[in-house]
Amino acid sequence: PFYQASLSSFTTFSLFFTYYFYYTIFLNYHHYLIFFFFFLMIRRPPRSTLSSSSAASDVYKRQPFSSLPIKVGPINIFRVPVGHYGMVFVGNDPFLVSSEDGGLFAVNNPAFRYMGSIKIGETYINHSTIHIIRVPKGSYGCVKQNNVPALLPPGVHVFKTDDFVLTKFASLSDESVTFETITRFFVPKGNIGLAWRDSQPIFFQERGVYLVDSPMFRYVESVPIETPKIILGSRKIITVKEGMVGVSHHKGQLKILPPGRHVIEDEEHVFDEFLSTQQKSLNLTKDSNPSQLLMVCESRELVRIGIQASVFYNIRDPKLAVIKIGDVKDIENFINDTATAVITTIIRTTSLAEIAQSGHAMEKGTGMMGGEQQHQQLQRQDSGAKEGEDFEPNLPFFDRMHADFISRLQENFLNEYGIFMLHVRIGDFKVLDEDISQSIANHASTTAATQAKLANLEGNRQIDLVNKDSDFRIERMQADVDAHRMTTNARAKAQAMKEEAQAQAEALKIQAGARMEATKLEAEARAASIRVIAEAEAEATRAKGDAESERATKLGSIAFGREVTLAEIHANMVEKSMAGVEKVVYLPTEMQKNPFALFSQDALSKVVATK
C-alpha cells in the first residue's frame, strides 16, 4: 500500500516502484492485460515545510483504502478483487487486468482510466472491443461478428472487435434453431427431416445433427418414418398399410396405390386419401344427419317408427368405387342413402304387428339381435336368398328384412360399384306415436306379468324335478357305493386265492424239480453201473473168445481136435434147435431115425472149411 513514511536515521528516503508493462493474449486472441509498475523517487521535504497548506503536504496527504480507486494526477491506484477482471483503458485501448490473489495496482499514466471490475465467471463479459463468451454445457451461443452470424459450441470464446453482438443462448436439445441464415437441426432415429432449399423440398432420412448456412434454407419439422402420409411440396412418401389402399391422381388419371411404401417425386402426381378395404359398419341416418340416432320410417298402417340400423360392407374394387361414386365421404353417403331408402320401403310394406312380434321374439331370444350370433344367422340366411328361394312368411320380420335387403343390394352394388354388402343389423326400434306406444307398453306389462307367473310355475316344477333328481342321485350313489364295496371284496378274495394257488404251484414246481434231479442222479448211477457191467462182460467175453480161439487153433492143428470141435458144434446146434419143443414134431421118413441128419458132419465140415 501507498503510505507516507519517515525514518529518523535517514535525512531523506526514497520509495522505489518497479514500472513493468505486461502484454499478452488471454484464452484466444485480441485480449490484452496490462500491469503497470513504475519507479518513483520522492525526496523528503524539510520539516519546516510540513504543513497542511503546502503543495508537498498535498502530495503526501494520507488517503484511506476504502476510497479506491485513487487518482492523484497521473497516478492511479486500484485493487482487482479475487476472481474478477479489472476493466481499464490506456488511452482508447481497452484492457482487462486480473490477479490470482487479488492484487493492488498502481499506474503512472495520465491516459490511464479504471472503469471497474466484473466477475471472471460471467457468461458474457464485454469491455469496449473485448468480448468473452462462456457458453454453458448443453447450449450454444448465437453471435454476430462483423455482421456474420455464427453458432458457438460449449466453452470459452474471446473476440476483439468493434462489431460483435451476442444474441442468445440456445439449448442443444432443441430440435431446430434458426439464427439469421444458420439453421441447426437434429433428426432423431426413425424420423425423417423435412426442409426447403432453394424452393425445393428435401428429405433428411439419416439420423444426426445438421448445420446449414444458407438464406434459402428453411427447416420445417421431423416426422416418424411410419407416418402414413408425408408430403412436402412435390415430394411425397405414402405408406399404405394392409387393409387399405391409397387414392391418387397422376395427370388426371386415377391411380390406386397398393399396400407398401411409395415415394412420389412427380409434382403432377397428387395424393388424395386412404380408402379402407376392410369390413366396415355404417350407422344409417336419414338426411345424412349423424346426430339422429333413430331412422324414422312408417309402417303399413302409417305408424311412425324409429329404427336403429347399421349396414356392414367392404370395398372389393376400390378403383370402380372411386370412379362411380367418389371419395370416402361420398361412398359413405351413397351407401347410407341407398340402404335407408331400401329399409324404408321394406318397413312401409310391413304391418306394426309383424314388427312388434319380431321385436318381442328378438328380446326373448337373443336380445338386441346384434353381435356375432346375428351375423352368423344372417349369413346362413344369405345362402337361401342368393339361390332365389322364397322368403318364409313365418320368419321374424328382421330376418326377412335382412334377406330382402341383401337380395336387393348385394349383387347390384358388387357389380356396379365394387362394394360388397355383408348384412344389415337392426339394433332397436321404437314406436314414435305416444298413444300406440303406451298401448304397446301396457300390453307388454300384462304379458310380462303373465310370463312372470308362468316363470314361477315353471320354477316350482323345476324345483320338484331337481328334488326328485337329487333323491334319485343319492340312491344311485348309495347303490354305486355298495356295488363298489362288493366288487372290492370279491377282488380281494380272488387276489388271495390267486396268491395261494401261486404258492402251491411254486411248491409243486420245487418238489418236481427235486424229484427230477433225484431221478436223473439215479439214472446216471444205473447207467454208470450198467456201463461198468457191460465193460466187464465184454472183457470176459473177449477173454473167453480169446481162450476159445486159442483152444480152437490148438485143436484145429490136429485131426482129432478138429473132430472134437465139430462134435461140440453139432451138439450145441441140436440143443438150441430143440429148445422149447414141447410137442411131437413131424419129420420126414428119412429123418425120423436121425432128426439131425440134415446137419451132417460133412455139411458142417464144409461150413467150417469155408469159414
Side-chain angles (χ1 to χ4, degrees):
F2 284 90
Y3 60 92
Q4 182 180 6
S6 62
L7 297 175
S8 59
S9 59
F10 296 94
T11 56
T12 62
F13 73 94
S14 299
L15 295 175
F16 296 93
F17 294 90
T18 304
Y19 173 79
Y20 181 76
F21 172 80
Y22 181 76
Y23 176 82
T24 184
I25 299 175
F26 179 75
L27 297 178
N28 288 331
Y29 60 91
H30 301 302
H31 179 208
Y32 303 94
L33 298 176
I34 270 201
F35 296 86
F36 288 93
F37 295 91
F38 59 91
F39 173 80
L40 179 64
M41 177 181 288
I42 303 176
R43 186 171 59 87
R44 181 177 180 270
R47 293 183 181 271
S48 59
T49 61
L50 292 178
S51 64
S52 59
S53 59
S54 63
S57 175
D58 292 338
V59 173
Y60 291 100
K61 183 169 61 175
R62 295 176 183 268
Q63 294 191 23
F65 290 146
S66 60
S67 60
L68 292 177
I70 300 173
K71 183 174 180 62
V72 180
I75 299 174
N76 295 269
I77 302 174
F78 61 95
R79 181 188 296 276
V80 178
V82 177
H84 285 65
Y85 283 129
M87 297 183 293
V88 301
F89 279 97
V90 179
N92 293 325
D93 296 330
F95 296 94
L96 294 176
V97 181
S98 66
S99 176
E100 295 181 357
D101 55 354
L104 184 67
F105 297 90
V107 179
N108 185 8
N109 189 334
F112 181 86
R113 287 176 294 158
Y114 177 75
M115 307 303 297
S117 63
I118 187 171
K119 290 183 178 179
I120 295 177
E122 290 289 336
T123 56
Y124 180 46
I125 299 175
N126 175 221
H127 176 47
S128 185
T129 59
I130 299 176
H131 306 270
I132 301 178
I133 300 95
R134 296 180 181 273
V135 181
K137 290 183 179 180
S139 301
Y140 52 89
C142 302
V143 301
K144 291 178 64 176
Q145 183 181 8
N146 298 325
N147 207 30
V148 177
L151 297 179
L152 303 181
V156 179
H157 307 270
V158 180
F159 298 89
K160 186 172 182 358
T161 176
D162 293 334
D163 188 1
F164 184 88
V165 177
L166 172 64
T167 303
K168 62 179 179 179
F169 290 104
S171 175
L172 289 174
S173 61
D174 292 342
E175 181 181 350
S176 66
V177 172
T178 300
F179 176 62
E180 297 291 336
T181 60
I182 298 176
T183 302
R184 177 197 179 275
F185 59 95
F186 171 72
V187 178
K189 185 177 181 180
N191 281 28
I192 295 179
L194 311 181
W196 292 90
R197 174 182 286 173
D198 298 329
S199 301
Q200 296 295 325
I202 298 177
F203 288 168
F204 295 89
Q205 302 189 39
E206 296 294 330
R207 175 182 179 273
V209 178
Y210 296 86
L211 187 66
V212 180
D213 187 0
S214 172
M216 300 301 293
F217 182 86
R218 180 172 64 88
Y219 181 75
V220 180
E221 62 177 342
S222 69
V223 296
I225 195 171
E226 66 272 11
T227 303
K229 182 171 63 175
I230 303 175
I231 299 178
L232 184 65
S234 60
R235 297 196 66 183
K236 310 165 192 70
I237 298 179
I238 307 300
T239 303
V240 183
K241 298 181 180 179
E242 289 290 341
M244 305 283 289
V245 295
V247 180
S248 65
H249 287 82
H250 185 216
K251 297 181 180 180
Q253 296 291 327
L254 177 63
K255 298 292 183 181
I256 299 298
L257 304 179
R261 193 174 184 210
H262 306 271
V263 179
I264 301 173
E265 302 285 351
D266 193 348
E267 59 184 7
E268 296 186 17
H269 194 164
V270 180
F271 178 78
D272 299 325
E273 61 183 346
F274 294 101
L275 182 62
S276 174
T277 57
Q278 298 174 334
Q279 177 178 325
K280 297 187 66 177
S281 64
L282 179 64
N283 295 327
L284 301 180
T285 59
K286 266 198 170 182
D287 302 327
S288 301
N289 185 6
S291 62
Q292 193 175 12
L293 298 178
L294 296 178
M295 183 175 61
V296 181
C297 305
E298 290 183 349
S299 67
R300 190 165 57 193
E301 298 86 358
L302 300 181
V303 177
R304 296 174 66 250
I305 301 173
I307 292 182
Q308 184 180 9
S310 301
V311 63
F312 293 80
Y313 69 95
N314 67 349
I315 299 176
R316 298 287 179 86
D317 190 341
K319 188 171 184 178
L320 182 60
V322 173
I323 292 175
K324 288 293 187 69
I325 302 175
D327 59 13
V328 175
K329 190 64 177 176
D330 294 335
I331 293 173
E332 292 180 352
N333 291 337
F334 181 76
I335 294 174
N336 178 82
D337 296 342
T338 306
T340 301
V342 172
I343 292 175
T344 302
T345 302
I346 295 173
I347 293 177
R348 187 65 180 270
T349 60
T350 308
S351 65
L352 181 61
E354 290 181 278
I355 300 175
Q357 183 180 3
S358 180
H360 175 68
M362 182 177 63
E363 292 175 1
K364 183 178 179 180
T366 60
M368 294 293 290
M369 199 175 185
E372 191 63 25
Q373 293 180 353
Q374 183 198 20
H375 177 58
Q376 294 175 358
Q377 178 184 1
L378 297 179
Q379 283 184 335
R380 289 194 296 269
Q381 296 169 5
D382 288 346
S383 59
K386 293 176 184 177
E387 294 172 1
E389 297 179 357
D390 295 334
F391 304 132
E392 298 181 12
N394 59 349
L395 283 176
F397 163 70
F398 293 144
D399 296 346
R400 288 192 292 109
M401 185 178 70
H402 168 266
D404 195 4
F405 179 89
I406 293 299
S407 66
R408 294 189 185 192
L409 292 184
Q410 191 174 69
E411 184 175 358
N412 178 60
F413 259 60
L414 183 59
N415 295 333
E416 294 293 331
Y417 309 108
I419 300 174
F420 184 73
M421 307 299 293
L422 295 171
H423 68 272
V424 62
R425 182 179 65 188
I426 306 299
D428 195 7
F429 77 95
K430 177 181 179 182
V431 178
L432 301 180
D433 293 340
E434 295 295 335
D435 296 338
I436 299 177
S437 178
Q438 185 62 37
S439 176
I440 293 175
N442 295 334
H443 177 72
S445 300
T446 303
T447 303
T450 303
Q451 289 179 348
K453 292 180 181 179
L454 293 174
N456 290 332
L457 294 175
E458 181 65 20
N460 294 330
R461 189 178 71 83
Q462 291 292 336
I463 291 173
D464 293 338
L465 291 176
V466 170
N467 291 333
K468 292 180 180 180
D469 184 67
S470 177
D471 295 339
F472 173 74
R473 289 177 182 272
I474 292 173
E475 293 177 358
R476 184 174 178 180
M477 290 174 62
Q478 185 63 39
D480 291 341
V481 171
D482 295 339
H484 181 70
R485 183 170 59 251
M486 294 177 64
T487 303
T488 303
N489 294 334
R491 288 179 179 175
K493 291 180 180 179
Q495 184 66 22
M497 294 176 64
K498 181 180 179 181
E499 292 177 355
E500 183 178 359
Q502 289 178 349
Q504 292 177 359
E506 188 67 23
L508 291 174
K509 183 178 179 181
I510 294 173
Q511 292 178 3
R515 289 175 182 175
M516 184 177 67
E517 186 67 23
T519 303
K520 181 179 179 181
L521 293 174
E522 183 179 359
E524 290 178 353
R526 287 180 181 179
S529 175
I530 292 171
R531 185 170 57 253
V532 172
I533 292 172
E535 290 177 356
E537 290 179 350
E539 186 66 26
T541 302
R542 188 169 49 254
K544 183 179 178 181
D546 293 339
E548 290 180 352
S549 177
E550 185 179 359
R551 178 175 173 272
T553 301
K554 290 180 178 182
L555 289 177
S557 61
I558 59 175
F560 177 76
R562 186 170 178 270
E563 292 293 334
V564 172
T565 302
L566 291 174
E568 288 178 355
I569 294 172
H570 186 267
N572 290 335
M573 182 181 63
V574 172
E575 183 180 0
K576 291 181 179 179
S577 65
M578 298 302 291
V581 177
E582 296 178 357
K583 295 181 181 182
V584 178
V585 179
Y586 172 78
L587 295 173
T589 304
E590 63 273 11
M591 295 185 66
Q592 290 181 359
K593 295 180 179 180
N594 184 11
F596 303 102
L598 179 64
F599 305 100
S600 61
Q601 290 185 356
D602 295 334
L604 291 174
S605 298
K606 292 179 181 180
V607 172
V608 172
T610 301
K611 292 182 178 181

